[in-house]
Amino acid sequence: QVQLAESGGGLVQAGGSLRLSCADSGRTFSNYAMGWFRQAPGKEREFVAAINWSGGRTYYADSVKGRFTISRGNAKNTVYLQMNSLKPEDTAVYYCAGHGGLDYTGLGPADFGSWGQGTQVTVSS
């Protein structure tokens, strides 16, 4: 059974940085793409970033491009989301997601079969 556990959320001032981590257990991590999504109160869950199985391809939402970086450490079964230049509109619960294949296909949440519990990120103005 796949288990995903996020960590690294918290409260930060606008312009600050946070690094989220997600540890994956229960499967061969290096065989699957991974992603990050977020959900703000009253809004739908939205795509943030994804990375293919090797780390050689990454994908970003336009709203975070140039500020966020997704990466992975296959030896540690962990995916990361480095968030810089944070804005109040980045405030949300951030979820790690495990894909069922090698690469993200652009279908959003439907592409992912495993989800973590989420970690709160709050950016104050």
Side-chain angles (χ1 to χ4, degrees):
Q1 183 178 355
V2 179
Q3 291 187 323
L4 303 175
E6 302 100 336
S7 61
L11 173 64
V12 64
Q13 288 188 330
S17 298
L18 282 174
R19 188 194 198 202
L20 305 183
S21 299
C22 173
D24 184 328
S25 62
R27 63 176 183 171
T28 305
F29 178 73
S30 59
N31 286 354
Y32 301 97
M34 297 294 294
W36 287 96
F37 288 76
R38 66 187 182 187
Q39 188 165 18
K43 295 188 177 181
E44 292 189 355
R45 190 169 297 189
E46 65 172 356
F47 171 76
V48 175
I51 188 167
N52 78 328
W53 68 277
S54 68
R57 272 195 292 271
T58 57
Y59 309 85
Y60 296 95
D62 287 343
S63 59
V64 306
K65 205 171 290 184
R67 300 187 298 121
F68 291 11
T69 302
I70 188 171
S71 61
R72 65 190 296 158
N74 283 350
K76 295 185 177 182
N77 288 5
T78 302
V79 63
Y80 306 96
L81 185 68
Q82 178 66 44
M83 304 185 295
N84 298 330
S85 302
L86 282 161
K87 304 175 181 179
E89 51 263 45
D90 293 319
T91 295
V93 176
Y94 282 70
Y95 296 92
C96 173
H99 198 273
L102 293 171
D103 203 356
Y104 180 52
T105 58
L107 295 178
D111 245 2
F112 296 83
S114 306
W115 295 85
Q117 297 282 353
T119 185
Q120 177 70 46
V121 171
T122 303
V123 184
S124 63
S125 56

